[in-house]
Coordinates of all heavy atoms in Angstrom, one line a residue:
D1 N 10.3 29.3 25.2 CA 9.1 28.5 25.1 C 8.6 28.7 23.6 O 8.5 29.8 23.1 CB 8.0 29.0 26.0 CG 8.4 28.5 27.5 OD1 9.3 27.7 27.6 OD2 7.7 29.1 28.4
F2 N 8.2 27.6 23.1 CA 7.6 27.6 21.7 C 6.1 27.4 21.8 O 5.7 26.4 22.4 CB 8.3 26.5 20.9 CG 7.8 26.5 19.5 CD1 8.2 27.3 18.5 CD2 6.8 25.5 19.2 CE1 7.7 27.3 17.2 CE2 6.3 25.4 17.9 CZ 6.8 26.3 16.9
H3 N 5.4 28.3 21.2 CA 3.9 28.1 21.2 C 3.4 28.7 19.9 O 3.7 29.8 19.6 CB 3.3 28.9 22.4 CG 1.8 28.8 22.5 ND1 1.1 27.8 23.0 CD2 0.9 29.7 22.0 CE1 -0.2 28.0 22.9 NE2 -0.3 29.2 22.3
R4 N 2.6 27.9 19.2 CA 2.1 28.4 18.0 C 0.6 28.0 17.9 O 0.3 26.8 18.1 CB 2.9 27.9 16.8 CG 2.3 28.3 15.5 CD 3.2 27.8 14.4 NE 3.0 28.8 13.3 CZ 3.8 28.9 12.3 NH1 4.9 28.1 12.2 NH2 3.6 29.7 11.3
L5 N -0.2 28.9 17.5 CA -1.6 28.6 17.3 C -2.0 29.2 15.9 O -1.7 30.3 15.6 CB -2.5 29.2 18.4 CG -4.0 29.1 18.2 CD1 -4.5 27.7 18.3 CD2 -4.8 30.0 19.2
H6 N -2.6 28.4 15.1 CA -2.9 28.8 13.8 C -4.4 28.4 13.5 O -4.7 27.3 13.7 CB -2.0 28.2 12.7 CG -2.5 28.6 11.3 ND1 -2.3 29.8 10.8 CD2 -3.1 27.8 10.4 CE1 -2.8 29.8 9.5 NE2 -3.3 28.6 9.3
I7 N -5.1 29.3 13.0 CA -6.5 29.0 12.6 C -6.7 29.3 11.1 O -6.3 30.4 10.6 CB -7.5 29.9 13.4 CG1 -7.4 29.6 14.9 CG2 -9.0 29.6 12.9 CD1 -8.2 30.6 15.7
S8 N -7.2 28.4 10.4 CA -7.4 28.6 9.0 C -8.9 29.1 8.8 O -9.8 28.3 9.1 CB -7.3 27.3 8.2 OG -7.8 27.4 6.9
N9 N -9.1 30.3 8.5 CA -10.4 30.9 8.4 C -11.3 30.2 7.4 O -12.5 30.1 7.5 CB -10.3 32.4 8.2 CG -9.8 33.2 9.4 OD1 -10.0 32.7 10.5 ND2 -9.2 34.3 9.2
R10 N -10.6 29.8 6.3 CA -11.4 29.2 5.2 C -12.0 27.9 5.6 O -13.2 27.6 5.3 CB -10.5 29.0 4.0 CG -11.3 28.4 2.8 CD -10.4 28.4 1.6 NE -11.2 27.7 0.5 CZ -10.6 27.1 -0.4 NH1 -9.3 27.0 -0.5 NH2 -11.4 26.5 -1.4
F11 N -11.3 27.1 6.3 CA -11.7 25.7 6.7 C -12.1 25.6 8.2 O -12.6 24.6 8.6 CB -10.7 24.7 6.4 CG -10.4 24.6 4.9 CD1 -9.1 25.1 4.4 CD2 -11.3 24.1 4.0 CE1 -8.8 25.0 3.1 CE2 -11.0 24.1 2.6 CZ -9.8 24.5 2.2
Q12 N -11.8 26.7 9.0 CA -12.2 26.7 10.4 C -11.4 25.7 11.2 O -11.8 25.3 12.3 CB -13.7 26.6 10.6 CG -14.5 27.7 10.0 CD -15.9 27.5 10.2 OE1 -16.4 26.4 10.5 NE2 -16.7 28.6 10.0
D13 N -10.3 25.2 10.7 CA -9.4 24.2 11.4 C -8.4 25.0 12.2 O -8.1 26.2 12.0 CB -8.6 23.4 10.4 CG -9.6 22.6 9.5 OD1 -10.7 22.3 9.9 OD2 -9.1 22.2 8.4
C14 N -7.8 24.3 13.2 CA -6.9 25.0 14.1 C -5.8 24.0 14.5 O -6.1 22.8 14.8 CB -7.6 25.5 15.3 SG -6.6 26.2 16.6
F15 N -4.6 24.4 14.4 CA -3.5 23.5 15.0 C -2.7 24.3 16.0 O -2.6 25.5 15.9 CB -2.6 22.9 13.8 CG -1.7 23.9 13.2 CD1 -0.4 24.1 13.8 CD2 -2.0 24.5 12.0 CE1 0.5 25.0 13.2 CE2 -1.1 25.4 11.4 CZ 0.2 25.6 12.0
I16 N -2.1 23.6 16.9 CA -1.3 24.2 17.9 C -0.1 23.3 18.1 O -0.2 22.0 18.1 CB -2.1 24.4 19.2 CG1 -1.3 25.2 20.2 CG2 -2.5 23.1 19.8 CD1 -2.1 25.7 21.4
I17 N 1.1 23.9 18.4 CA 2.3 23.2 18.7 C 2.8 23.8 20.0 O 3.0 25.0 20.0 CB 3.3 23.3 17.6 CG1 2.8 22.7 16.3 CG2 4.6 22.5 18.0 CD1 3.7 23.0 15.1
E18 N 3.0 23.1 21.0 CA 3.5 23.6 22.3 C 4.7 22.8 22.8 O 4.8 21.6 22.7 CB 2.4 23.4 23.4 CG 2.7 23.8 24.7 CD 2.6 25.3 24.9 OE1 1.7 25.9 24.3 OE2 3.4 25.9 25.6
S19 N 5.7 23.6 23.2 CA 7.0 23.0 23.7 C 6.8 22.5 25.1 O 6.2 23.3 25.9 CB 8.1 24.0 23.6 OG 9.2 23.4 24.2
C20 N 7.3 21.4 25.5 CA 7.2 20.9 26.8 C 8.7 20.5 27.3 O 9.1 19.4 27.2 CB 6.3 19.7 26.9 SG 6.2 19.0 28.6
P21 N 9.4 21.5 27.7 CA 10.8 21.3 28.0 C 11.1 20.3 29.2 O 12.1 19.7 29.2 CB 11.3 22.7 28.4 CG 10.2 23.6 28.5 CD 9.0 22.9 27.9
V22 N 10.1 20.2 30.1 CA 10.3 19.3 31.2 C 10.4 17.8 30.7 O 11.2 17.1 31.2 CB 9.0 19.4 32.1 CG1 9.1 18.3 33.2 CG2 9.0 20.8 32.8
R23 N 9.7 17.5 29.6 CA 9.8 16.2 29.0 C 10.6 16.1 27.7 O 10.6 15.1 27.0 CB 8.4 15.6 28.7 CG 7.5 15.5 30.0 CD 7.8 14.2 30.7 NE 7.0 14.1 31.9 CZ 6.8 13.0 32.6 NH1 7.5 11.9 32.2 NH2 6.1 13.0 33.6
S24 N 11.1 17.3 27.3 CA 11.9 17.4 26.1 C 11.1 16.9 24.9 O 11.5 16.0 24.1 CB 13.2 16.6 26.2 OG 14.0 17.1 27.2
C25 N 9.9 17.5 24.8 CA 9.0 17.0 23.7 C 8.2 18.2 23.2 O 8.2 19.3 23.8 CB 8.1 15.9 24.1 SG 6.9 16.3 25.3
L26 N 7.5 18.0 22.1 CA 6.5 18.9 21.6 C 5.2 18.3 21.7 O 5.0 17.1 21.4 CB 6.8 19.3 20.1 CG 8.1 20.1 19.8 CD1 8.2 20.2 18.3 CD2 8.0 21.5 20.5
I27 N 4.2 19.1 22.0 CA 2.8 18.6 21.9 C 2.1 19.3 20.7 O 2.2 20.5 20.6 CB 2.0 19.0 23.2 CG1 2.8 18.5 24.5 CG2 0.6 18.5 23.2 CD1 2.3 19.1 25.8
A28 N 1.6 18.5 19.8 CA 1.0 19.0 18.6 C -0.4 18.5 18.5 O -0.7 17.3 18.8 CB 1.8 18.7 17.4
A29 N -1.4 19.3 18.1 CA -2.7 18.9 17.9 C -3.4 19.6 16.7 O -3.0 20.8 16.5 CB -3.5 19.1 19.1
L30 N -4.3 19.0 16.0 CA -5.1 19.6 15.0 C -6.5 19.3 15.3 O -6.9 18.2 15.5 CB -4.7 19.0 13.6 CG -5.6 19.3 12.4 CD1 -5.5 20.7 12.1 CD2 -5.2 18.4 11.3
C31 N -7.3 20.4 15.3 CA -8.8 20.2 15.5 C -9.5 20.7 14.2 O -9.2 21.8 13.7 CB -9.2 21.0 16.7 SG -8.7 20.4 18.3
D32 N -10.3 19.8 13.8 CA -11.1 20.1 12.6 C -12.2 21.1 13.0 O -12.9 21.0 14.0 CB -11.8 18.8 12.1 CG -12.4 19.0 10.7 OD1 -12.1 20.0 10.0 OD2 -13.3 18.2 10.4
G33 N -12.5 22.1 12.2 CA -13.5 23.1 12.4 C -14.9 22.5 12.2 O -15.0 21.5 11.6
M34 N -15.9 23.3 12.5 CA -17.2 22.9 12.3 C -17.6 23.6 11.0 O -18.3 24.6 10.9 CB -18.1 23.4 13.4 CG -17.8 22.9 14.8 SD -18.2 21.2 14.9 CE -19.9 21.2 14.9
G35 N -17.1 23.1 9.9 CA -17.3 23.7 8.5 C -18.7 24.1 8.3 O -19.7 23.4 8.4
G36 N -18.8 25.4 7.9 CA -20.1 26.0 7.6 C -20.9 26.5 8.8 O -21.9 27.2 8.6
E37 N -20.5 26.1 10.0 CA -21.3 26.5 11.2 C -20.7 27.9 11.7 O -19.6 28.2 11.5 CB -21.1 25.5 12.3 CG -21.7 24.1 12.0 CD -23.2 24.2 11.9 OE1 -23.9 25.0 12.6 OE2 -23.8 23.5 11.1
N38 N -21.6 28.7 12.3 CA -21.1 30.0 12.8 C -20.1 29.7 13.9 O -20.3 28.8 14.8 CB -22.3 30.7 13.4 CG -23.2 31.3 12.3 OD1 -22.8 31.5 11.2 ND2 -24.5 31.5 12.6
A39 N -19.0 30.4 13.9 CA -18.0 30.4 14.9 C -17.3 29.0 15.0 O -16.8 28.7 16.0 CB -18.5 30.8 16.3
G40 N -17.3 28.3 13.9 CA -16.6 27.0 13.9 C -15.1 27.1 14.2 O -14.5 26.2 14.8
E41 N -14.5 28.2 13.7 CA -13.1 28.4 14.0 C -12.8 28.7 15.5 O -11.8 28.3 16.0 CB -12.5 29.6 13.2 CG -13.0 31.0 13.5 CD -14.4 31.3 13.0 OE1 -15.0 30.5 12.3 OE2 -14.8 32.5 13.3
I42 N -13.8 29.3 16.2 CA -13.7 29.5 17.6 C -13.8 28.2 18.3 O -13.0 27.9 19.3 CB -14.7 30.5 18.1 CG1 -14.4 31.9 17.5 CG2 -14.7 30.6 19.6 CD1 -15.5 32.9 17.7
A43 N -14.7 27.3 17.9 CA -14.9 26.0 18.6 C -13.7 25.2 18.4 O -13.2 24.5 19.4 CB -16.1 25.3 17.9
S44 N -13.0 25.2 17.2 CA -11.8 24.3 17.0 C -10.7 24.9 17.9 O -9.9 24.1 18.4 CB -11.5 24.2 15.6 OG -11.2 25.4 15.0
A45 N -10.6 26.2 18.0 CA -9.5 26.8 18.8 C -9.6 26.5 20.2 O -8.7 26.2 20.9 CB -9.4 28.3 18.5
V46 N -10.9 26.6 20.8 CA -11.1 26.3 22.2 C -10.8 24.9 22.5 O -10.2 24.6 23.5 CB -12.6 26.7 22.5 CG1 -12.9 26.2 23.9 CG2 -12.7 28.2 22.5
A47 N -11.3 24.0 21.6 CA -11.1 22.6 21.9 C -9.6 22.2 21.8 O -9.1 21.5 22.6 CB -11.8 21.7 20.8
N48 N -8.9 22.8 20.9 CA -7.5 22.6 20.7 C -6.7 23.1 21.9 O -5.8 22.4 22.5 CB -6.9 23.3 19.5 CG -5.8 22.6 18.8 OD1 -5.1 21.9 19.5 ND2 -5.7 22.8 17.5
K49 N -7.0 24.3 22.4 CA -6.3 24.8 23.6 C -6.6 23.9 24.8 O -5.7 23.6 25.6 CB -6.7 26.2 23.9 CG -6.1 27.2 22.9 CD -6.6 28.6 23.2 CE -6.0 29.6 22.3 NZ -6.4 31.0 22.5
A50 N -7.8 23.5 25.0 CA -8.2 22.6 26.1 C -7.4 21.3 26.1 O -6.9 20.8 27.1 CB -9.7 22.3 26.2
F51 N -7.3 20.7 24.9 CA -6.7 19.4 24.7 C -5.2 19.5 25.0 O -4.6 18.8 25.8 CB -6.8 19.0 23.2 CG -6.2 17.7 22.8 CD1 -6.8 16.5 23.1 CD2 -4.9 17.7 22.2 CE1 -6.2 15.3 22.7 CE2 -4.3 16.5 21.9 CZ -4.9 15.3 22.1
V52 N -4.5 20.5 24.4 CA -3.1 20.7 24.6 C -2.8 21.1 26.1 O -1.8 20.6 26.7 CB -2.5 21.7 23.6 CG1 -1.1 22.0 24.0 CG2 -2.6 21.1 22.2
S53 N -3.6 22.0 26.7 CA -3.4 22.4 28.1 C -3.5 21.2 29.0 O -2.7 21.1 30.0 CB -4.4 23.4 28.5 OG -4.2 24.6 27.8
Y54 N -4.5 20.3 28.8 CA -4.6 19.1 29.6 C -3.4 18.3 29.6 O -2.8 17.9 30.6 CB -5.9 18.3 29.2 CG -6.1 17.2 30.1 CD1 -7.0 17.3 31.2 CD2 -5.5 15.9 29.9 CE1 -7.3 16.2 32.0 CE2 -5.8 14.9 30.8 CZ -6.7 15.0 31.8 OH -6.9 14.0 32.7
I55 N -2.9 18.0 28.4 CA -1.7 17.2 28.2 C -0.5 17.8 28.8 O 0.3 17.2 29.6 CB -1.4 16.8 26.7 CG1 -2.6 15.9 26.2 CG2 -0.1 16.2 26.5 CD1 -2.5 15.6 24.7
Y56 N -0.3 19.1 28.6 CA 0.8 19.9 29.1 C 0.8 19.8 30.6 O 1.9 19.6 31.3 CB 0.8 21.3 28.6 CG 2.0 22.1 29.0 CD1 3.1 22.1 28.2 CD2 2.1 22.8 30.2 CE1 4.3 22.8 28.6 CE2 3.2 23.5 30.6 CZ 4.3 23.5 29.8 OH 5.4 24.2 30.1
D57 N -0.3 20.0 31.2 CA -0.5 20.0 32.7 C -0.1 18.6 33.3 O 0.6 18.6 34.3 CB -1.9 20.4 33.1 CG -2.2 21.8 32.9 OD1 -1.3 22.6 32.6 OD2 -3.4 22.2 33.0
R58 N -0.5 17.6 32.6 CA -0.1 16.2 33.1 C 1.4 15.9 32.9 O 2.0 15.3 33.8 CB -1.0 15.2 32.4 CG -2.5 15.2 32.7 CD -2.8 15.5 34.1 NE -4.2 15.6 34.4 CZ -4.9 16.8 34.4 NH1 -4.3 17.9 33.9 NH2 -6.1 16.8 34.7
L59 N 1.9 16.4 31.8 CA 3.3 16.1 31.5 C 4.3 16.9 32.5 O 5.4 16.5 32.8 CB 3.7 16.4 30.1 CG 3.1 15.5 29.0 CD1 3.5 15.9 27.6 CD2 3.4 14.0 29.3
T60 N 3.8 18.0 32.9 CA 4.6 18.9 33.8 C 4.3 18.8 35.3 O 4.9 19.4 36.1 CB 4.5 20.4 33.3 OG1 3.2 20.8 33.4 CG2 5.1 20.5 31.9
S61 N 3.3 17.9 35.6 CA 2.9 17.7 37.0 C 4.0 17.2 37.8 O 4.7 16.2 37.4 CB 1.7 16.8 37.0 OG 1.4 16.5 38.4
R62 N 4.2 17.7 39.0 CA 5.2 17.2 39.9 C 4.7 16.0 40.7 O 5.5 15.3 41.3 CB 5.6 18.3 40.9 CG 6.3 19.4 40.2 CD 6.7 20.5 41.2 NE 7.3 21.6 40.5 CZ 8.3 22.3 40.9 NH1 8.8 22.0 42.1 NH2 8.8 23.3 40.2
T63 N 3.4 15.7 40.6 CA 2.9 14.6 41.4 C 2.7 13.3 40.6 O 2.6 12.3 41.1 CB 1.5 15.0 42.0 OG1 0.6 15.3 41.0 CG2 1.6 16.1 43.0
I64 N 2.8 13.5 39.2 CA 2.6 12.3 38.4 C 4.0 11.9 37.9 O 4.7 12.6 37.2 CB 1.7 12.6 37.1 CG1 0.3 13.0 37.6 CG2 1.7 11.4 36.2 CD1 -0.5 13.5 36.5
K65 N 4.5 10.8 38.4 CA 5.9 10.3 38.0 C 5.9 9.5 36.7 O 6.7 9.8 35.8 CB 6.4 9.5 39.2 CG 6.5 10.2 40.5 CD 7.5 11.4 40.4 CE 7.5 12.1 41.7 NZ 7.9 13.5 41.6
N66 N 5.0 8.5 36.6 CA 5.0 7.7 35.4 C 3.7 8.0 34.7 O 2.6 7.7 35.1 CB 5.0 6.2 35.8 CG 6.3 5.8 36.5 OD1 7.3 6.2 36.1 ND2 6.2 5.0 37.6
V67 N 3.9 8.7 33.5 CA 2.7 9.1 32.8 C 2.2 8.0 31.9 O 3.0 7.3 31.2 CB 3.1 10.3 31.9 CG1 2.0 10.7 31.0 CG2 3.6 11.5 32.7
N68 N 0.9 7.7 32.0 CA 0.3 6.8 31.1 C -0.2 7.6 29.9 O -1.3 8.2 30.0 CB -0.9 6.1 31.8 CG -1.6 5.1 30.9 OD1 -1.7 5.3 29.7 ND2 -2.2 4.1 31.6
Y69 N 0.5 7.6 28.8 CA 0.2 8.5 27.7 C -1.1 8.2 27.0 O -1.8 9.1 26.7 CB 1.4 8.4 26.7 CG 2.7 9.0 27.2 CD1 3.7 8.1 27.7 CD2 2.9 10.4 27.3 CE1 4.8 8.7 28.2 CE2 4.0 10.9 27.8 CZ 5.0 10.0 28.2 OH 6.2 10.5 28.8
E70 N -1.5 7.0 26.9 CA -2.8 6.6 26.3 C -3.9 7.2 27.2 O -4.9 7.8 26.6 CB -2.9 5.1 26.2 CG -4.2 4.7 25.5 CD -4.3 3.2 25.3 OE1 -3.3 2.5 25.6 OE2 -5.4 2.8 24.9
E71 N -3.8 7.1 28.5 CA -4.8 7.6 29.4 C -4.9 9.1 29.3 O -5.9 9.7 29.3 CB -4.5 7.2 30.8 CG -5.5 7.6 31.8 CD -5.2 7.1 33.2 OE1 -5.1 5.9 33.4 OE2 -4.9 8.0 34.1
V72 N -3.7 9.8 29.3 CA -3.6 11.2 29.2 C -4.3 11.7 27.9 O -5.1 12.7 27.9 CB -2.2 11.7 29.3 CG1 -2.1 13.2 28.9 CG2 -1.6 11.5 30.7
V73 N -4.0 11.1 26.8 CA -4.6 11.5 25.5 C -6.1 11.3 25.5 O -6.9 12.1 25.1 CB -3.9 10.9 24.3 CG1 -4.7 11.1 23.0 CG2 -2.5 11.3 24.2
T74 N -6.5 10.2 26.0 CA -8.0 9.9 26.1 C -8.7 10.9 27.0 O -9.8 11.4 26.6 CB -8.2 8.4 26.7 OG1 -7.6 7.5 25.8 CG2 -9.7 8.1 26.8
N75 N -8.1 11.2 28.1 CA -8.7 12.2 29.0 C -8.7 13.6 28.4 O -9.6 14.4 28.6 CB -8.1 12.2 30.4 CG -8.4 10.9 31.1 OD1 -9.4 10.2 30.9 ND2 -7.5 10.6 32.1
A76 N -7.7 13.9 27.7 CA -7.6 15.2 27.0 C -8.7 15.4 26.0 O -9.2 16.4 25.8 CB -6.2 15.4 26.4
C77 N -9.0 14.3 25.3 CA -10.1 14.3 24.3 C -11.4 14.6 25.0 O -12.2 15.4 24.5 CB -10.2 13.0 23.5 SG -8.8 12.7 22.3
A78 N -11.6 13.9 26.1 CA -12.8 14.2 26.9 C -12.9 15.6 27.4 O -14.0 16.2 27.4 CB -12.9 13.2 28.0
E79 N -11.8 16.1 27.8 CA -11.7 17.5 28.3 C -12.0 18.5 27.2 O -12.7 19.5 27.5 CB -10.3 17.7 28.9 CG -10.1 19.1 29.5 CD -10.7 19.2 30.9 OE1 -11.1 18.2 31.5 OE2 -10.8 20.3 31.4
A80 N -11.5 18.2 26.0 CA -11.7 19.2 24.9 C -13.2 19.1 24.5 O -13.7 20.1 24.0 CB -10.8 18.9 23.8

């Protein structure tokens, strides 16, 4: 399994790349930090993990056969 989380302390940005072997793909996301705000790097990391986890769960679900990718990404944004 490939999983990478990186937080840039200077800019409070966070990116994550997650392998999804069930669909033979990678899920990648970048969340902009709350520049200048306290704990902005934590906010971007939490949002990023929520976004990628939501997508990963839907892509690996045994009950969802035909994935509507646009809907999944839209819902992942709302989740994050």
Side-chain angles (χ1 to χ4, degrees):
D1 288 346
F2 179 80
H3 175 82
R4 180 177 206 163
L5 175 67
H6 175 75
I7 300 172
S8 168
N9 288 335
R10 181 173 177 209
F11 299 109
Q12 301 180 340
D13 301 336
C14 177
F15 74 85
I16 189 169
I17 302 169
E18 180 78 39
S19 174
C20 183
V22 173
R23 298 278 180 169
S24 299
C25 69
L26 293 175
I27 305 166
L30 168 68
C31 289
D32 189 22
M34 302 290 291
E37 296 294 324
N38 289 336
E41 70 280 2
I42 295 170
S44 64
V46 169
N48 211 332
K49 287 180 181 179
F51 179 84
V52 171
S53 292
Y54 185 92
I55 292 175
Y56 186 90
D57 290 347
R58 295 317 176 273
L59 293 180
T60 58
S61 171
R62 293 178 183 222
T63 60
I64 301 172
K65 300 297 181 204
N66 297 317
V67 176
N68 179 331
Y69 294 100
E70 183 177 353
E71 182 179 299
V72 168
V73 170
T74 299
N75 291 339
C77 288
E79 183 77 15

